[in-house]
Every structure is written in structure tokens, then in C-alpha cells.
Amino acid sequence: MPIHRPAPQGSRVIAHVDMDCFYVQVEQRKKPELRGLPTAVVQYNAWKGGGLIAVGYEARKFGVKRSMRGDEAKEVCPDIQLIQVPVARGKADLKLYREAGSEVVSILSAKGRCERASIDEVYLDLTDAAELMLSEAPPETLETIEKEALKSHILGLADDGKGSEENVRRWLCRDDADHEDKLLACAAIIVAQLRIQVMEETQFTCSAGIAHNKMLAKLASAMHKPAQQTVVQTSAVKDLLASLPVKKMKQLGGKLGSSLQSDLGVKAVGDLLQFPVEKLQERYGTNTGSWLWNIARGISGEEVESRLLPKSHGCGKTFPGPQALKSISSVEHWLNQLCEELSERIQDDLDQNKRIAHTLTLHAGAFKYNEKGLGRKFPSKSCPLRYGTAKIQEDAKKLFDSGLRDFVGPHNDRWGIASLSVTASKILDIPSGTSSISSFFQDKDCHSLSSSGCDGFNNDHFPPSPSVNKICTRPVYHVQQLRPSCEEICDVHETSQQNKTFNIDVRGASPRKRKRKELGSILRYFQVSDSSTKQVVDEFTQADAPLPTSDSESYMEPDPSEHQRSNLVRNDNNDENSTHVNETTQTSTAWHLNVEDVDPSVIDELPLEIQREVRGWLCLPKRVQATKRGSDITQYFFPAKK
Ligand code: DCP
């Protein structure tokens, strides 16, 4: 669902940088003799020469398309060079391409806030860099402007008959332009320089869109490819959207776009201009209605997130045509391969970036033999992620079984699987200040926890982690901290649910006062009791067993800044200490609070499960929904629906 965000106050300037025929370029860098030749990269697959996943621009001139298979490509372009994606575990191994993408990201991120949007695309917020250039060296003062910048396509710029480069130079250097256009001009020069740098350092070409928001920048980057850049001036937005087919707009490719076409007769994004916001809100809800009204005008408040690492890790494989999987054992075989790769990747992420993935999701494309046309989809299933290949494999199989039961239904129809993928998401940073990742892992702990089934899952503990000394369990943190993060609130919930431990001790002799001042959110109401220990430790173990299938997980995304404030102290202790942690915690974890201090509305803000638990602690009655739900954003959040 699109999320409506109000337009930002000041002008912003955003670039979307997209690599050209990326996998082909990576292969051509590896084998320079391929440069200039029609080339495509094919997915490992014997069927009809494999599926094309990247097509070089020379091959596109012959009509080769990504939807083709290798054999078809050879028919239209007999000289085409078909390069197979590297293979590991019987499936595509994309490591080479991911690493090549990271090279580019590290260059681009030097210039501004950088969001890695996919393996080969990046958003950059260049507002600060452009403002700086405008104040220190505006375009009209530059002795030379790179040719790459002069080759920019400026949407809405009329040809003045002087040759487009001269025309662009004049546009870039106008001193009568408004501030917004001046920022765009500066960003165009900065992006051209960055693209040259990327070329020099990586040998890759890329294309870019430059605009006042992400949505327009993304649209623009695809308009002139390869190795070109396009600028969207505000005055050109209306024309751009007037003819843009709705389905081409991000977020409108699916059901929402189809509904706009069939229910409102909207063909181009600009057609939405005729509808008042009330009408759109009435039809699609407040949030989506507002979003639609805004995108029709080229308005989008979506921020460039600061993220250089991927948001999730996914491993998938397709089984086209006759290769469809038809037995549980063949599905298990491939799930094992996929999970093995996924496990390696999240482990690398943990080792290199100190990030932990929290959710495992299984997607499958399936069909039934006796069913013509579109039947029920194979439902995607999720559960909390447990580290270690064997555990991930075990959980993925359970997710598959659960999905298959729903998919097949009571008649036990014959089925086939045309694609499978496993994804690790909700990847969160471990707070800094640790000396070794492996020190987070505790050995014996993995045998000490009870199991309880939930939707077919055993609430097992974390598994052996192959690359961390074959030891098991999720991290046990010793935390020095002044302010518990949101995640910890959730840990309170998770740990108590599973009879595990949580303890916060606060530094200093006067925890009562300190807590009042420093703790945010609901925890400010809780007083920590352990005055006997003036140690500077918080100890908690994270619950780690799978809960039910879980698009509705109960934990919240922590604020990364909270992590910064936490200072993890390495727990070098072995299982002996691990036991100690638990014991200590059990005796010292006593919350002292003045119930009258608790504002019930604060509790209303918490997820349902946590509310229940907190109410239990406080012996508070369930609150009657007192506030009338209005049309503001809060109505989308709990507790709107039970
Ligand atoms: N890719 C893939 N499977 C797909 C689509 C893409 O494996 N169905 C891979 C290969 C591409 C890379 O992702 O090289 C980037 O995809 P893009 O959609 O950005 O396409 P290209 O970079 O190949 O070409 P373009 O220059 O049109 O962006």
C-alpha cells in the first residue's frame, strides 16, 4: 500500500541512479573481449537455452528482450553472446553482481544521503551538496562544465536552435532561475561528475534522473538510457504525468492501478487531476486517496533513507515449464539449497555488518493440474528467523507445508511448484561497541529452552551457527545503556512470554531520578529495583523461537538512534555465566512503579500483545475506546481494529 507523506517544507533535490544492463556490464568487465558485442546474461537453466535476465544495448538493437529464452534470442540475433550466471548449489549465484553494486554505492554515497534501492539502483539526496555548490560555486561561475552535464536531457526545455549542449549550458547557468531550478542545475552537474567517477573507477556506465522527489527522479532515470541523465524541472511535471500510463508509476503496477483503470477510467497518471481528494479518499481510503491526489501533481514526501546495505536477503529459483517441482522431496531438496545460501548470506551480514535478520519468509509460485486459469495463490508465509542452516531449512519446510495445505485445500489436488524463494528481512543493526561477533553467541544456552508449538512450529532455540565456531543460540547482550530502545520493550514481551529473562539496571546510585529523566516512552514509568548491584549492566536474552506465521509480528522496528545510545559490552562468559545471567535476572527483575503515574493512553500506543501484558502487570482494566476515530493518520494504527 502506498503511504502518503506530506511534501517536505523546503526544496529538495534527489537523484535516482540506475546502472545500465547491469549484469551484462559486470560480465563484460570480467571479459573485456565481450565489449561492443551483442551480449545477454542467461539464468542457469537447460530449458530452451535458459531465461535472459539482462540484455546489453547492442543486443537490444536486434530485438532481443529480457522475456526471451536463449534459443529465441539466437533466432533474432545469431551472433549474440549468451553468458551464464555463475552457479552455486544448482542455482544462480549473484554474489559477483551484488559486490559490483556495492562498489558503485560506495562511490555515490560520498556525495549525500544514499539509499540502495536494489542490486543496481540508488537514490541520493543531493540537497545539501547542491545548496553548498550554489553558495560557493554556482554553475554560472564555473570555468568549465563537464560535457556529461551538458548532455543532460532537461524535460520541458524548448530547443532554441543553438544545438542542445549550448541550450543546456544556458539552462544550467541561468541567473534568473528560481531557487528550485538552480538546485536542479547544481545537482545535474554533481550527478554528471559522479557518473564520470563511477565510470573511471568501476568501468560501469549508469543513467540518472534528477528531480525534486524520489518518484520523479525514478521516472526520469529510465527515460534516457544508457549512460545519460534526465532532469525534471517543476514546470515539466504536468506534461510528464499527463501521458504517463498509470501502470508505469511505482505502486500502481498492481491492483490499485487496475482499479484506477477499470473503476475510474484513469489511463494516465495525469487523468487523476480531475478527481477531488475527497472522492479519491472515499474510494480508496484517506491515506491512499491523499497519496493518489498528490502523485497526480508530482508531489511526494518520501524521504531518501540512509541505507547502504540491502533491506533484506532473498534466494529464489524458478522451475519453468516441465521443470516444475511435483513432489515434496524435490521441494525439500531445493528449499535446502536456497536456505543454505540464505544462511550464508545472513551470517556474512552478521559478521561483516553486525546486522541480524529477524523474519524468514517463504514465497512460492504454484499451480494445480486440474485448474485452468487463475486459481488460489500459494500464500506467502513468515516466521521469526533462527540462525543456522539446519534451523532455517527446518522452518522453511514448515512454512512450505503450511502454505501447501492452504493452497491445495480439502480436495488434495495435484500441484506443481514453478518458483520458490526464501527471504530474510527485518534486518536490524546490533549496537556498536562490541569487539567480536562470535562473542555474542553462547553455547549451552541452546539446550536450555523449552519448546512450545504454534501453528505447527516448535519454539526451538537458535541453532548451531556454522561460521561462528559451531556454537548456537542468538546473541546474549550485556548492555550498558541509559535508555531502553523500542526493541527492548518488545523483548520484555517476548522474553516473558517464553519464560526467559530481561533485566535493566541503571548506572549510578539514584536510578529512580535518573530513569524519570532519561527514559522515553512507557519505560519511563518503570523503576528499576536492583539497587543492590551498582553494576553497569543490562542483561537480556532475546527470545528466539518461531511464533505463528507472522505478518503480524508483535515486535516493533527499533529506532536506530537508540542503538547508538546503547553500548554493548562483550559477554565473554561461557555457559556458566549464561546460567548466572538467568539466575541473577530472575531474582533481580522486579519492576517498581507507581500505577497512578501511568498514563493509560501511553499503553494504548503499544502493540496489542504488549498492551495485554503490560495491563497484566499493572492490573489495569482494558480501556474502553474513548477517542472517536477521526480522519487523521492515527486511525490507521492500533488500536483501530481488534
Ligand atoms: N534482473 C534479474 N531478473 C529480472 C530483472 C533483472 O535477474 N527479472 C537483474 C539483471 C539486471 C539487473 O537485475 O542486469 C538490474 O535490472 P534492471 O531492471 O535495472 O535492468 P538492467 O540493468 O539489466 O537494464 P537497464 O539498463 O534497462 O536498467
Side-chain angles (χ1 to χ4, degrees):
M1 185 177 77
I3 297 176
H4 166 61
R5 293 194 177 87
Q9 294 297 311
S11 306
R12 287 188 310 176
V13 61
I14 311 290
H16 177 255
V17 180
D18 185 23
M19 307 308 293
D20 302 316
C21 56
F22 188 47
Y23 289 11
V24 170
Q25 286 205 79
V26 175
E27 293 298 339
Q28 287 177 331
R29 182 173 71 169
K30 208 165 76 181
K31 290 192 192 151
E33 64 274 18
L34 291 174
R35 285 193 194 283
L37 301 179
T39 307
V41 175
V42 288
Q43 185 87 274
Y44 168 79
N45 206 316
W47 192 55
K48 291 190 182 173
L52 269 56
I53 54 173
V55 181
Y57 282 83
E58 292 86 357
R60 293 185 200 192
K61 288 182 196 148
F62 291 87
V64 179
K65 294 198 169 61
R66 184 145 66 193
S67 53
M68 291 177 171
R69 301 203 68 82
D71 293 352
E72 294 170 81
K74 282 210 156 132
E75 276 170 29
V76 295
C77 178
D79 293 334
I80 192 163
Q81 309 290 311
L82 295 176
I83 311 298
Q84 266 198 4
V85 170
V87 175
R89 302 183 183 93
K91 63 174 285 299
D93 178 7
L94 306 181
K95 193 169 179 202
L96 179 69
Y97 310 120
R98 272 194 295 273
E99 287 174 356
S102 302
E103 289 176 47
V104 177
V105 170
S106 67
I107 295 168
L108 298 177
S109 59
K111 261 303 182 205
R113 192 169 352 124
C114 177
E115 175 182 331
R116 188 171 188 177
S118 78
I119 199 163
D120 79 329
E121 17 165 20
V122 158
Y123 289 100
L124 278 178
D125 188 330
L126 293 173
T127 312
D128 291 345
E131 291 280 11
L132 188 69
M133 182 175 178
L134 204 53
S135 63
E136 291 185 351
E140 62 272 23
T141 65
L142 298 177
E143 275 180 21
T144 53
I145 294 180
E146 277 88 358
K147 201 169 169 60
E148 206 52 52
L150 298 178
K151 288 195 309 188
S152 300
H153 301 266
I154 316 290
L155 296 188
L157 180 63
D159 186 357
D160 67 351
K162 291 191 175 171
S164 59
E165 285 189 18
E166 187 50 34
N167 204 16
V168 171
R169 180 193 301 279
R170 282 155 51 109
W171 185 86
L172 292 172
C173 298
R174 280 183 314 162
D175 58 7
D176 61 341
D178 62 20
H179 186 67
E180 286 202 334
D181 276 0
K182 283 187 174 175
L183 284 181
L184 284 176
C186 293
I189 293 169
I190 293 167
V191 170
Q193 289 164 346
L194 282 170
R195 290 181 39 242
I196 293 167
Q197 194 185 344
V198 168
M199 179 64 182
E200 286 172 353
E201 292 182 22
T202 67
Q203 303 173 32
F204 299 143
T205 68
C206 56
S207 300
I210 300 139
H212 289 301
N213 61 49
K214 283 171 82 172
M215 171 189 84
L216 294 171
K218 164 109 179 152
L219 280 177
S221 68
M223 293 178 84
H224 297 97
K225 275 190 141 250
Q228 297 172 71
Q229 61 183 51
T230 305
V231 180
V232 188
Q233 337 176 47
T234 308
S235 60
V237 171
K238 196 171 176 193
D239 283 352
L240 170 65
L241 298 178
S243 54
L244 184 76
V246 271
K247 290 275 186 169
K248 295 258 175 203
M249 173 66 93
K250 202 176 157 205
Q251 312 254 38
L252 292 182
K255 282 184 192 160
L256 180 57
S258 303
S259 163
L260 290 174
Q261 288 173 327
S262 58
D263 301 341
L264 298 186
V266 167
K267 292 196 169 51
V269 175
D271 296 346
L272 282 167
L273 285 173
Q274 60 189 292
F275 298 99
V277 69
E278 294 80 15
K279 164 102 181 161
L280 295 170
Q281 288 177 337
E282 189 187 308
R283 179 72 184 75
Y284 296 106
T286 314
N287 169 64
T288 304
S290 307
W291 181 81
L292 286 168
W293 190 88
N294 277 291
I295 58 138
R297 289 153 183 81
I299 301 168
S300 165
E302 198 189 338
E303 294 274 349
V304 174
E305 290 171 34
S306 183
R307 192 181 64 235
L308 307 185
L309 298 167
K311 229 175 169 176
S312 61
H313 295 288
C315 304
K317 183 164 172 69
T318 55
F319 307 96
Q323 294 171 17
L325 308 179
K326 297 167 192 115
S327 66
I328 292 286
S329 61
S330 59
V331 168
E332 279 187 7
H333 167 79
W334 284 111
L335 273 184
N336 283 345
Q337 307 299 313
L338 297 173
C339 292
E340 205 175 295
E341 184 189 329
L342 186 70
S343 178
E344 256 176 35
R345 282 171 53 197
I346 59 174
Q347 195 61 55
D348 284 351
D349 201 349
L350 177 60
D351 294 343
Q352 288 161 21
N353 309 314
K354 299 185 180 165
R355 303 196 309 161
I356 298 183
H358 288 253
T359 301
L360 174 70
T361 303
L362 177 128
H363 300 283
F367 59 88
K368 289 181 198 164
Y369 280 92
N370 59 357
E371 204 167 67
K372 297 246 170 345
L374 288 178
R376 189 175 154 62
K377 275 178 76 178
F378 192 102
S380 298
K381 298 272 176 178
S382 302
C383 69
L385 192 152
R386 305 183 297 159
Y387 273 65
T389 306
K391 292 290 179 192
I392 295 174
Q393 289 169 334
E394 182 187 329
D395 291 344
K397 276 176 214 153
K398 286 173 179 168
L399 292 175
F400 179 82
D401 290 344
S402 166
L404 188 65
R405 272 196 302 276
D406 295 353
F407 175 70
V408 168
H411 305 302
N412 225 356
D413 301 316
R414 274 184 66 216
W415 48 268
I417 297 294
S419 66
L420 268 181
S421 73
V422 284
T423 306
S425 60
K426 292 233 166 112
I427 305 179
L428 306 176
D429 289 342
I430 298 176
S432 58
T434 57
S435 53
S436 154
I437 286 296
S438 58
S439 67
F440 287 106
F441 292 85
Q442 300 278 307
D443 198 352
K444 289 275 176 61
D445 198 25
C446 59
H447 305 296
S448 64
L449 295 162
S450 63
S451 298
S452 66
C454 209
D455 194 35
F457 286 89
N458 288 323
N459 285 355
D460 257 334
H461 199 42
F462 254 57
S465 167
S467 63
V468 188
N469 304 331
K470 299 252 186 293
I471 51 178
C472 46
T473 168
R474 253 166 111 165
V476 174
Y477 304 153
H478 277 208
V479 184
Q480 284 184 332
Q481 82 172 43
L482 299 176
R483 184 172 171 178
S485 71
C486 182
E487 188 178 34
E488 289 154 31
I489 298 177
C490 305
D491 284 325
V492 171
H493 161 65
E494 290 192 358
T495 53
S496 61
Q497 208 183 39
Q498 288 161 56
N499 213 11
K500 296 176 75 184
T501 57
F502 181 87
N503 177 24
I504 296 178
D505 289 343
V506 178
R507 186 194 310 241
S510 176
R512 195 170 253 268
K513 269 192 196 151
R514 175 177 221 130
K515 273 279 175 182
R516 278 213 179 276
K517 220 171 159 192
E518 292 168 348
L519 297 187
S521 180
I522 186 160
L523 286 187
R524 91 163 64 102
Y525 294 102
F526 295 83
Q527 310 289 311
V528 176
S529 67
D530 195 355
S531 53
S532 64
T533 55
K534 300 214 175 5
Q535 294 169 346
V536 190
V537 286
D538 286 351
E539 299 162 337
F540 66 89
T541 58
Q542 293 194 350
D544 48 30
L547 290 168
T549 59
S550 62
D551 286 332
S552 56
E553 282 157 273
S554 60
Y555 53 84
M556 297 173 280
E557 298 274 1
D559 173 0
S561 60
E562 298 289 349
H563 283 313
Q564 303 297 323
R565 278 178 231 128
S566 301
N567 178 16
L568 279 184
V569 178
R570 185 180 144 169
N571 178 9
D572 280 324
N573 301 331
N574 49 26
D575 32 301
E576 205 183 352
N577 284 326
S578 168
T579 312
H580 168 74
V581 168
N582 291 349
E583 283 171 0
T584 309
T585 313
Q586 273 159 8
T587 53
S588 66
T589 304
W591 299 94
H592 290 268
L593 69 149
N594 182 356
V595 174
E596 281 154 26
D597 277 350
V598 179
D599 176 356
S601 66
V602 173
I603 296 172
D604 285 350
E605 301 295 320
L606 296 168
L608 182 59
E609 294 85 339
I610 298 178
Q611 279 195 41
R612 277 199 205 109
E613 188 158 347
V614 173
R615 283 180 205 291
W617 299 340
L618 307 182
C619 298
L620 286 179
K622 206 167 164 201
R623 249 164 67 96
V624 179
Q625 192 60 48
T627 42
K628 186 174 178 299
R629 304 221 154 263
S631 58
D632 68 349
I633 190 77
T634 54
Q635 72 181 304
Y636 291 98
F637 295 97
F638 183 84
K641 288 183 189 137
K642 296 281 183 297

